[in-house]
């Protein structure tokens, strides 16, 4: 039997493990709902019961602050409000701190964060505690989060009318996360297996931007981050929601190792299509539908879909079971347990 780490690395390298490995991530209210259902509040205990193979490392950052009644801002300038759920509040993004910027000077004079603001002192202990598991680090986003700070509408206009503004923002994020990842690698002595790289590129029906815009404004920063992660000895877990089929070849060419969350929004994002066209060059993470199946389906339906994904994407290796986004609080605990308790031998 392989260790959890060995299992994940085999799948990520498109080798067949003893069973399909799995990952888990959830919104804070979802954790609370699960704890209420289970009758205890221990994350490690829950992850062990679900036989999750990956652990997510955590680094404390600067606390968010309230910029207006009920409106909060993080260190990047992303702004959000909280929406209520029966299990606690959940974040909902709004217009960012630079959405009304009228000059390039306003971008330059913004109080940008530094990796010096993060506390890496706990990483070594986390790596030691989870030594048998695959370790995932980070939240590097070099295009979508800049767009949240600038405002989606303004970012799209910038790419056409003020391209230097868009490049400036992506450069700020790229430089920060390269240093952040280097410090995390140093703190863990190179123990991190997967580094997360994020930029949501898709809508429900197709990419948000043209391939030409992608090549000019997104791909150079993704390539820089991917090359950096590989130089640190890690694999790249790239996250993009939506229907991004037309961009998958480009992502492979850039060096992406594992694609997440393979949101099932049409035939081209179905596991059969993805495995046939890209399975010899790309591993996959996610896929279990968060929009309809997990919140509204029956446990038996969830189990059937898990078997489908493990059989199709897990053939010969190359698949890590996970939801097609963070578990949302409207997902019944019974469906979460059905997902992880289903046989995953493919």
């Amino acid at each position: 039997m392989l260790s959890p780490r060995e299992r994940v690395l085999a799948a990520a390298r498109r080798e067949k493990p003893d069973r399909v490995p799995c990952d888990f991530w959830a919104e804070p209210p979802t954790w609370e709902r699960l704890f209420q259902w289970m009758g205890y509040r221990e994350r490690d205990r829950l992850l062990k019961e679900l036989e999750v193979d990956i652990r997510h490392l955590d680094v404390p950052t600067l606390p968010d602050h309230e910029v207006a009644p009920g409106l909060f801002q993080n260190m990047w300038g992303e702004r959000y409000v909280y929406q209520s759920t029966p299990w606690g509040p959940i974040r909902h993004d709004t217009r960012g701190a630079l959405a009304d910027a009228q000059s390039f000077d306003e971008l330059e004079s913004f109080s940008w964060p530094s990796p010096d603001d993060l506390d890496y002192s706990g990483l070594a202990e986390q790596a030691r505690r989870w030594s048998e598991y695959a370790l995932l680090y980070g939240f590097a986003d070099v295009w979508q989060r800049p767009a949240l700070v600038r405002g989606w509408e303004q970012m799209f206009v910038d790419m056409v009318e003020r391209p230097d503004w868009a490049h400036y923002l992506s450069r700020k994020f790229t430089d920060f996360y390269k240093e952040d990842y280097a410090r995390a690698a140093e703190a863990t002595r190179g123990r991190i297996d997967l580094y997360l790289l994020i930029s949501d590129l898709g809508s429900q029906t197709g990419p948000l931007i043209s391939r030409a815009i992608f090549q000019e404004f997104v791909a150079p920063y993704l390539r820089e981050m991917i090359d950096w992660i590989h130089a640190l000895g890690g694999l790249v877990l790239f996250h993009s929601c939506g229907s991004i089929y037309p961009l998958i070849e480009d992502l492979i060419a850039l060096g992406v190792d594992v694609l997440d969350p393979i949101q099932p929004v049409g035939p081209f994002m179905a596991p059969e299509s993805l495995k046939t066209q890209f399975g010899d060059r790309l591993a996959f993470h996610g896929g279990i539908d968060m929009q309809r199946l997990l919140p509204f389906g029956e446990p038996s339906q969830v189990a059937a879909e898990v078997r489908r994904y493990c059989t199709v994407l897990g053939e010969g290796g190359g698949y890590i079971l996970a939801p097609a986004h963070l578990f949302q609080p409207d997902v019944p605990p019974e469906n979460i347990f059905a997902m992880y308790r289903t046989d995953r031998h493919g």
Side-chain angles (χ1 to χ4, degrees):
M1 177 181 293
L2 299 179
S3 71
R5 184 187 186 210
E6 292 169 337
R7 188 173 294 123
V8 171
L9 290 177
R13 293 167 178 158
R14 303 187 303 281
E15 301 165 359
K16 188 169 180 61
D18 55 346
R19 65 165 172 79
V20 171
C22 64
D23 194 9
F24 181 99
W25 42 18
E27 296 285 1
T30 312
W31 281 103
E32 178 61 28
R33 184 175 184 180
L34 281 167
F35 288 149
Q36 291 182 19
W37 193 68
M38 295 298 295
Y40 60 76
R41 310 187 64 80
E42 302 168 53
R43 288 199 177 199
D44 272 353
R45 178 180 171 184
L46 179 58
L47 295 176
K48 285 182 179 180
E49 288 198 28
L50 297 176
E51 297 185 337
V52 175
D53 298 285
I54 296 176
R55 294 294 182 270
H56 295 225
L57 301 178
D58 180 57
V59 168
T61 61
L62 291 174
D64 299 354
H65 62 282
E66 197 168 12
V67 295
L71 178 64
F72 297 87
Q73 178 175 312
N74 67 11
M75 66 180 187
W76 281 114
E78 293 173 286
R79 291 181 173 178
Y80 59 92
V81 297
Y82 282 112
Q83 294 182 333
S84 296
T85 79
W87 305 277
I90 191 169
R91 169 176 158 168
H92 178 75
D93 290 315
T94 62
R95 299 174 77 246
L98 294 174
D100 296 320
Q102 297 298 311
S103 71
F104 190 79
D105 287 344
E106 291 179 72
L107 273 61
E108 291 186 303
S109 62
F110 184 74
S111 181
W112 295 106
S114 162
D116 293 339
D117 299 323
L118 277 61
D119 180 4
Y120 299 89
S121 62
L123 284 180
E125 169 57 24
Q126 292 176 48
R128 184 202 63 77
R129 178 167 21 117
W130 295 324
S131 60
E132 66 181 296
Y133 297 96
L135 299 182
L136 171 66
Y137 179 77
F139 202 84
D141 190 331
V142 296
W143 184 72
Q144 179 192 358
R145 295 187 81 187
L148 289 173
V149 176
R150 178 68 176 120
W152 276 108
E153 297 88 347
Q154 288 80 1
M155 186 67 158
F156 281 113
V157 172
D158 287 347
M159 289 188 294
V160 175
E161 297 185 355
R162 295 176 290 270
D164 55 324
W165 291 35
H167 282 298
Y168 177 84
L169 291 173
S170 287
R171 170 52 53 198
K172 275 291 181 184
F173 280 71
T174 301
D175 289 347
F176 176 95
Y177 281 115
K178 285 176 66 178
E179 178 63 20
D180 171 41
Y181 281 14
R183 294 190 188 192
E186 181 180 11
T188 59
R189 298 184 178 181
R191 175 59 181 79
I192 298 168
D193 303 300
L194 296 162
Y195 290 84
L196 186 60
L197 181 58
I198 299 172
S199 279
D200 279 350
L201 302 168
S203 71
Q204 291 287 111
T205 56
L208 292 167
I209 53 178
S210 69
R211 188 166 178 266
I213 291 290
F214 170 81
Q215 291 289 352
E216 180 177 355
F217 290 97
V218 186
Y221 303 103
L222 292 183
R223 182 182 296 279
E224 194 171 333
M225 286 298 307
I226 290 165
D227 289 346
W228 188 259
I229 290 167
H230 287 161
L232 293 173
L235 297 171
V236 177
L237 175 64
F238 179 75
H239 168 95
S240 173
C241 291
S243 180
I244 60 166
Y245 171 81
L247 299 176
I248 293 178
E249 286 285 359
D250 295 287
L251 294 172
I252 293 172
L254 290 171
V256 167
D257 299 295
V258 187
L259 181 63
D260 168 83
I262 50 175
Q263 186 180 347
V265 283
F268 291 114
M269 295 298 292
E272 294 81 2
S273 174
L274 294 174
K275 187 69 172 182
T276 298
Q277 297 190 59
F278 310 113
D280 60 336
R281 294 169 291 158
L282 189 64
F284 301 96
H285 175 287
I288 307 304
D289 178 38
M290 183 60 65
Q291 293 179 282
R292 293 166 295 275
L293 175 65
L294 284 167
F296 305 117
E298 296 295 326
S300 60
Q301 295 172 304
V302 173
E305 193 72 341
V306 167
R307 286 191 291 271
R308 173 192 176 202
Y309 271 76
C310 289
T311 299
V312 174
L313 292 181
E315 182 181 0
Y319 179 53
I320 301 169
L321 173 70
H325 206 285
L326 280 73
F327 283 114
Q328 300 298 302
D330 60 349
V331 177
E334 294 89 342
N335 282 356
I336 293 177
F337 270 75
M339 178 171 156
Y340 291 94
R341 292 285 172 81
T342 299
D343 180 78
R344 301 197 297 270
H345 286 84

